[in-house]
Amino acid sequence: MWKFVVRRILIMIPQLVVLSILVFILAKVMPGDALSGLVETPGVDSSTIEDMRTTLGINDPVHVQYLNWIKGLSQGDLGTSYIHQRPVLELLEARLWNTVYLSAAILFLTYLIAIPLGITAGRFHDSLIDKLIVGYNYITYATPLFIFALLMLFVFGFQLQWFPTGGSADINLEPGTFSYYMDKIYHLLLPALSGALLATVGTIQYLRNEIIDTKMKDFIKTAKSKGVPEAKIYSHHILRNSFLPIAAFLGYEITGLITGSIFLESIFSYPGIGQLFLQSISQRDFSVVTALVMVTGVATLIGTLLSDIILSLVDPRIRVE
Amino acid sequence: MSNDDILLQVEDLTTSFRIDEQFYPANDHINLDVYENEIVAIVGESGCGKSAFGHSIMGMHHQEQTKISGKIHFKGADLLSYSNTQLNKVRGKEISMIFQDPLTALNPLMIVGKQIEEGMKYHTKLSKNKRKQKAIEILNEVKIPQPERVYSQYPHELSGGMRQRIVIAIAIACEPSLIIADEPTTALDVTIQARIIDLLKELKRRMKTSIILITHDLGVVSEMADRIAVMYAGEFVEIGEVKRFLKNPLHPYSKSLLYSLPSKNNQGEKLHVIKGVVPSLNHLQRQGCRFKPRMNGTDDSIHEETPTLREVEKGHWVRCTCYKHFQIENSHQVVEEEKDDVFQGQ
Amino acid sequence: MTFFKVNNLKVYYPIRGGIFRRVVNHVKAVDNINFELKRGETYALVGESGCGKTTTGRTVVGLTKATSGEVIFNNLDLTKCNRKQIHESRREIQMVFQDPYSSLNPKKTVYDIVAEPLRNFENLSKSEEREQVEYFMQKVGMSRDSLFKYPHQFSGGQRQRVGIARALTLKPKIIIADEPVSALDASVQAQVLNFMQDIQEEFGLTYLFISHDLGIVRHMCNRIGIMYKGKFVEEGTREDIYENPQHIYTRRLIASIPELDTDQHQNSELLRKNIEEEYQKENDKYFNEDGSVMDLKPVSDTHFAALR
């Protein structure tokens, strides 16, 4: 097992190098730089800007700039945000955690809704209840997130006023106190629920199909021929086999959520990295954008590794060496 | 054999499957007695209804897709009148099943020991430790080397022959009085097949179990079974002792099957070919002799209008009178144009 | 001039291990085998699953790459010649697959399936193509009505005949038949075997017949090679193998054939037991210390066995 993990981490190194080069090139080919905006600012002449460029290293040869950037990255220095005038790392920290909370909440709620529905639909497939669940699936599949989220915000946030309409916590509360954490959860609920209700599609469909498939397998017949009661056949034989692909998908799901929360965070004005990403693009805050792309890239790689590890843990046929 | 030795008595069993909202019988009013401590083989080609027969006894069919009528007497009760809960007390304990493909018949995520024990959990009061001990004993019994080690292995870690031994171990775990073996050696290599045959025969001798052997392979029947029941299009066409049957098969279908096999005696000659194909369930002509369309140049007068299974000598039953007029021609018929045989996919 | 010959054929698959996935060993699927096909004969490769018989067949038609060795046909080494030569030789060596249910494209009509090789190799006009397809469909005993039906509308035996018609259209010299009847019922099996014998005479075909069923092999084949763990343990004519088997593995295989004659059961059971005992006891007579098969030694002009 450890050999497998070490090997996978070693493989990640070239992947990261390629990713960083791509991100760096993309950032470089964008027109202008953080100082372009200063041109023709009263009191700043062009030679001052050139001097600043030289001190900031922008005039160095490209490969030197790249190496400096990588050096910074490896020391945890993601650069400085021009717009916010703060180190990117500092900027990211709080928001990254907010996004992680939101993603975890979405994932939790998704499974809370999807697993019982998927099992019910699979077990009683072709019955009325199955048709209702599949119907729900079609509707959520066809609903665009940004419209659904706006609707949820409008109905539950503004009309019924059950939930707050923005932010991640009340600023008047002392961080670290119990009521602060409760308030954080309170702020999370509406965006998480909006995301989860639409995210259930994949899990329900997967689980339903897997259960229907597994039901037909020969080893289920073997179990039945042993005299195992139906409820036990489900709990001992069908469910574990049907959960395999879902467990395996968990890693990808996590990265998908982290990168996919852009809409949710903007609509609910929730201060996470998705919202930051959109802001930074529109404000041409490229050091933040490149840092975010790097972070999500790393998260994706870790997610796939996680998926492989989970799969090898739950499926004895895949024993990685 | 007397009536007292009858273990299982199938009476007028009809099992119908739903195809496009209609039910078609795959077993049509069949009768069969299974005696204690015997191996009776159900033989026929794919689609003849032999697996449906085994599944009916175990109550394994999908309830909405199947209709069953008739009686299956077993130890003083009619299994067909049993509820699912009652059947669960019989399955695995009194009657168990061996499946064709040992790889798919085992749960890939469960160690084999647990799969052998599972039945005991529901049928005996043995403690966890006792169950494990018993499972290892059974592994020994099916001649698995290093049973303690194999106990905690997963199916994919074992070879095909070993896996089939596990499937057999599961079937004998609660010492049932009847085992239904559905093509138990078809998926195996010949040398392994030979050993599994020997193992099943030995288990039958030692445990005094009866076996219903469902197979298409007359060689396996010859090696294993005491009696044979040949099935064609959902009916038994011939029932008799294997020894006598192999020397002197009577029904045209039985004869044709036997002569279509390559053997030492017909080396280099053309094999006998039955014309046409096995009719599918929903296109089967259910009046008269069902084998008639596949016989060459016979006139209708030799068939009965409503063929019955008749005892022609003691313990040897044949359906329809056409067998009296049937000869295998040595010269094989050239494959002819098969306009009518285009198979309507089921 | 040799018609078709396989020399020192090896097909190895690497086993990788360690953090850097270095090649640590090889699976020797086919390990240094030699055999020759004579024009018009039926040669059988026999063995149990995993013995390398299918890999050998696939390598001969070019579906699997040989690690080393030669496959000589028309005085050309098929493992080394260029694309064009391979393309040409491929039309003369055709394959019939085991499973008539999965080896035919379900979305194509029988006509398109049979015409496909013609379209790949020959530039025929529509009417010429039609003529050819109809000719071969008639040869395999299929009516004109069936031309535009789909594979699922046919029974297993009919599908296998379509598979054979497809293999015949290019008038090949050799047909590799990989377990052509093992997915079929007994009566259908007889039909296909008879038919294969008929077309062999008519078209002067040479068969490489790959099978695990020794009963069918005895019925169909002139010469037989028995494979075990990627190597030949014995090779000879039908009489050599069935009447005078030398290697313990061959004897074990033959003794495993279920006996239809119930009077013989006592004998065959005893025979099986004796062979099994000898197999355990005298292992060193037939196998090297590491369990591998020995090299073939001549027993007679036609008969070879891997003995010490």
Side-chain angles (χ1 to χ4, degrees), chain A residues 2-4 6-7 10 321, chain C residues 16-22:
Chain A
W2 68 269
K3 266 190 191 168
F4 167 77
V6 170
R7 194 166 60 82
L10 286 179
E321 278 153 26
Chain C
R16 293 169 190 278
I19 289 180
F20 296 104
R21 313 300 277 159
R22 267 193 300 254

Side-chain angles (χ1 to χ4, degrees), chain B residues 31-86:
Chain B
N31 294 283
L32 184 76
D33 296 341
V34 179
Y35 296 92
E36 282 184 7
N37 197 22
E38 79 160 342
I39 300 182
V40 53
I42 314 288
V43 176
E45 295 178 280
S46 37
C48 73
K50 57 188 193 297
S51 282
F53 177 70
H55 280 61
S56 295
I57 296 172
M58 291 285 279
M60 301 278 282
H61 292 298
H62 193 287
Q63 276 165 358
E64 280 139 42
Q65 305 294 332
T66 328
K67 258 191 203 158
I68 304 186
S69 66
K71 287 197 166 65
I72 299 174
H73 300 288
F74 179 76
K75 298 205 166 165
D78 176 14
L79 293 182
L80 283 186
S81 69
Y82 271 17
S83 69
N84 219 356
T85 328
Q86 284 172 305

Side-chain angles (χ1 to χ4, degrees), chain A residues 73 76-79 81 84 86-100 271-277 280 287-296:
Chain A
L73 274 186
D77 175 12
L78 298 177
S81 161
H84 299 266
R86 287 161 67 192
V88 174
L89 188 66
E90 212 175 278
L91 203 60
L92 275 187
E93 240 181 339
R95 289 161 189 262
L96 190 63
W97 282 115
N98 278 338
T99 297
V100 169
I273 57 168
Q275 195 201 29
L276 179 67
F277 191 64
S280 307
S287 52
V288 179
V289 175
T290 49
L292 279 171
V293 174
M294 274 311 281
V295 167
T296 48

